[in-house]
């Protein structure tokens, strides 16, 4: 009963927002005049974000950025949308992708966003967006895979985008649906870069990894990170400590495990834990305030603004660009089903700018860049699973 009331409340809210945004200007009386031409109808695009919610400074915020800032040209502020400037778009991209900023032109779309408070919300939220007329409905995260499958099968005339997972059938086998595009990322490649940097920067020779839920997707972050550390600092790789919190929306859990790792001597912590990672960053920030020379490595989005002095870099996953491209394809009438797999070569992952200073910074960044080029050229194959990690060997730059 509570779930039904929740869905009905969301429906009422969306209807109210829709009516408010589509109301004609005062004095127009709903009729276009020579002085006030009719505006082109906006195309509704829906997005269901995961339990980490808006404001995780990571995975969900990346998806919101792709739909709201890049596609709609809007900024969500105080519960409403306001126009964003081209500078805001440009500043949200790293210098390595600055040339892309000019291509991110606002599209005639209206974002419809629903946050999931629990896994039980996924299916009704997706269906609600379809019922509200969304021409493209986006499920952000592997945890929405089953819900997207159900929604796509029950609404064959609607288009869907699933981020971070393939569509799977009840037996766990890949299922190709004619109205679903899936986007996967080579997280291990981006994680390799930040691992290589961690191996070069650590002073204690001990580094750590904090994951959220221990599933193959998050393990790819860990494996890539381990491979990067192994390449530049084999001794640190042998003592690398990895812990999983078991969630993506528990900052307290992230902070606690990070404090434990710091107490054990880790001076660099890479997290792939959603909102739990904010707790990791907080623990590092407090440790630095207490005089310890420790750093955190963010994930999915550039998290340097969360704690400028405490963030060494961030492993970037450009979910925002993938969502923008899918939305543009929809607007251009070119949206198609199928699978995309994006790595370093495809600008799907990367490493954020390193804004903090440390001894040997310039040389360290040159070494990481050399490794990046080797991955892009195909000379270096980064392992994605633990089984391939033991035999992995790459010459240090």
């Amino acid at each position: 009963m509570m779930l039904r009331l929740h869905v009905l409340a969301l429906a009422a809210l969306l209807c109210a927002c829709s009516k408010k945004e589509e109301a004609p200007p005062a004095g127009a009386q709903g009729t276009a005049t020579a002085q006030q031409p009719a505006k082109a109808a906006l195309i509704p695009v829906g997005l269901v974000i995961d339990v980490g919610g808006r404001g995780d400074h990571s995975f969900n915020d990346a998806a919101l950025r792709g739909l709201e800032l890049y596609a709609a040209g809007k900024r969500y502020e105080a519960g409403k949308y306001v126009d964003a400037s081209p500078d805001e778009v440009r500043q949200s991209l790293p210098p390595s992708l600055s040339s892309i900023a000019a291509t991110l032109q606002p599209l005639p779309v209206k974002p419809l966003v629903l946050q999931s408070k629990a896994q039980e919300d996924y299916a009704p939220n997706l269906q609600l967006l379809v019922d509200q007329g969304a021409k493209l409905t986006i499920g952000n995260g592997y945890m929405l895979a089953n819900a997207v499958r159900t929604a796509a099968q029950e609404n064959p005339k609607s288009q869907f985008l699933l981020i971070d997972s393939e569509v799977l059938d009840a037996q766990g086998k890949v299922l190709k649906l004619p109205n679903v595009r899936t986007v996967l990322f080579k997280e291990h490649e981006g994680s390799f870069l930040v691992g290589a940097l961690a191996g070069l920067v650590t002073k204690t020779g001990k580094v750590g990894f904090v994951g959220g839920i221990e599933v193959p997707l998050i393990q790819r972050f860990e494996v890539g990170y381990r491979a990067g550390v192994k390449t530049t600092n084999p001794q640190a790789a042998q003592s690398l400590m990895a812990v999983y919190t078991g969630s993506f929306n528990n900052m307290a859990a992230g902070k606690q495990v990070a404090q434990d790792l710091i107490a054990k001597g880790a001076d660099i912590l890479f997290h792939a834990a959603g909102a739990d990672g904010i707790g990791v960053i907080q623990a590092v920030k407090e440790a630095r305030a207490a005089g310890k020379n420790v750093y955190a490595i963010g994930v999915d989005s550039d998290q340097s603004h969360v704690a400028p002095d405490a963030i060494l870099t961030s492993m970037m996953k450009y979910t925002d660009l993938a969502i923008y491209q899918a939305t543009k394809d929809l607007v251009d009438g070119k949206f198609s089903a199928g699978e995309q797999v994006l790595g370093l070569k495809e600008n799907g992952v990367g490493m954020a700018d390193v804004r903090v200073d440390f001894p040997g910074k310039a040389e360290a960044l040159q070494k990481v860049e050399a490794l990046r080029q080797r991955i892009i050229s195909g000379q270096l194959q980064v392992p994605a699973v633990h089984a391939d990690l033991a035999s992995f060997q790459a010459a240090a730059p």
Side-chain angles (χ1 to χ4, degrees):
M1 183 64 181
M2 290 298 294
L3 181 59
R4 176 178 172 82
L5 291 174
H6 175 61
V7 173
L8 290 174
L10 286 170
L13 176 61
L14 280 174
C15 288
C17 292
S18 177
K19 291 177 181 178
K20 182 177 180 180
E21 292 181 10
E22 294 175 1
Q29 297 179 350
T31 304
T33 66
Q35 290 74 29
Q36 190 164 5
K39 293 183 178 180
L42 297 179
I43 300 172
V45 177
L47 170 64
V48 176
I49 55 176
D50 209 343
V51 292
R54 185 187 291 272
D56 67 353
H57 304 285
S58 184
F59 183 65
N60 284 317
D61 279 0
L64 291 164
R65 184 166 56 247
L67 177 58
E68 296 175 340
L69 179 61
Y70 296 167
K74 301 291 184 182
R75 177 165 37 87
Y76 189 78
E77 186 177 273
K80 64 179 181 179
Y81 287 120
V82 297
D83 290 338
S85 68
D87 281 343
E88 290 178 274
V89 174
R90 186 162 51 251
Q91 291 169 7
S92 71
L93 291 166
S96 60
L97 296 181
S98 58
S99 61
I100 294 178
T103 69
L104 300 178
Q105 298 299 320
L107 305 170
V109 299
K110 180 174 71 172
L112 302 174
V113 177
L114 293 178
Q115 178 176 333
S116 302
K117 298 296 186 181
Q119 294 185 32
E120 292 79 11
D121 294 340
Y122 298 154
N125 280 349
L126 289 167
Q127 186 60 52
L128 181 55
L129 291 174
V130 172
D131 293 342
Q132 289 295 315
K135 301 304 181 184
L136 175 65
T137 302
I138 305 165
N140 191 49
Y142 77 93
M143 297 177 72
L144 281 86
N146 290 340
V148 168
R149 180 193 68 207
T150 299
Q153 290 175 327
E154 294 180 352
N155 302 275
K157 294 184 179 180
S158 297
Q159 305 288 348
F160 293 86
L161 175 68
L162 175 59
I163 298 293
D164 259 1
S165 177
E166 297 170 304
V167 178
L168 305 176
D169 64 16
Q171 287 72 45
K173 296 181 179 179
V174 176
L175 178 65
K176 302 295 184 182
L177 295 177
N179 57 338
V180 180
R181 175 185 294 184
T182 60
V183 181
L184 305 176
F185 297 87
K186 296 180 181 179
E187 294 89 359
H188 50 294
E189 292 186 350
S191 298
F192 178 90
L193 297 183
V194 301
L197 181 63
L200 293 167
V201 176
T202 179
K203 297 300 182 184
T204 65
K206 296 180 180 180
V207 299
F209 172 81
V210 179
I213 299 175
E214 191 170 2
V215 293
L217 168 65
I218 306 303
Q219 288 174 338
R220 286 202 294 271
F221 288 89
E222 179 194 347
V223 171
Y225 181 62
R226 285 183 179 275
V229 176
K230 184 178 181 179
T231 300
T232 59
N233 194 331
Q235 290 184 335
Q238 291 179 358
S239 60
L240 192 153
M241 297 172 282
V243 182
Y244 286 81
T245 63
S247 63
F248 292 114
N249 60 346
N250 188 340
M251 288 186 285
K255 184 175 181 179
Q256 181 178 348
V257 298
Q259 289 173 331
D260 290 342
L261 291 174
I262 293 170
K264 293 176 181 177
D267 61 351
I268 300 178
L269 300 181
F270 172 39
H271 85 85
D276 292 24
I278 301 301
V280 174
I281 294 172
Q282 184 62 32
V284 170
K285 184 178 178 179
E286 292 178 5
R288 288 186 63 83
K292 293 187 176 181
N293 187 30
V294 297
Y295 290 108
I297 296 176
V299 75
D300 292 339
S301 295
D302 184 350
Q303 297 190 304
S304 59
H305 65 282
V306 179
D309 295 333
I311 304 295
L312 178 63
T313 185
S314 297
M315 197 296 281
M316 303 291 289
K317 184 158 74 172
Y318 295 110
T319 306
D320 45 15
L321 298 179
I323 288 177
Y324 175 84
Q325 186 59 55
T327 306
K328 187 176 188 303
D329 288 347
L330 176 77
V331 171
D332 295 341
K334 298 178 180 178
F335 184 87
S336 60
E339 178 182 283
Q340 292 181 337
V341 181
L342 308 176
L344 281 175
K345 185 176 181 179
E346 300 81 15
N347 288 328
V349 297
M351 188 179 83
D353 289 350
V354 178
R355 296 182 173 86
V356 297
D357 290 322
F358 54 86
K361 176 180 177 180
E363 182 181 0
L365 294 182
Q366 287 177 355
K367 290 180 177 179
V368 174
E369 174 60 20
L371 289 168
R372 188 180 78 90
Q373 293 297 335
R374 285 164 59 184
I375 296 172
I376 291 174
S377 68
Q379 297 175 8
L380 195 164
Q381 300 291 328
V382 180
V385 295
H386 281 284
D388 295 333
L389 188 58
S391 61
F392 172 76
Q393 195 69 42

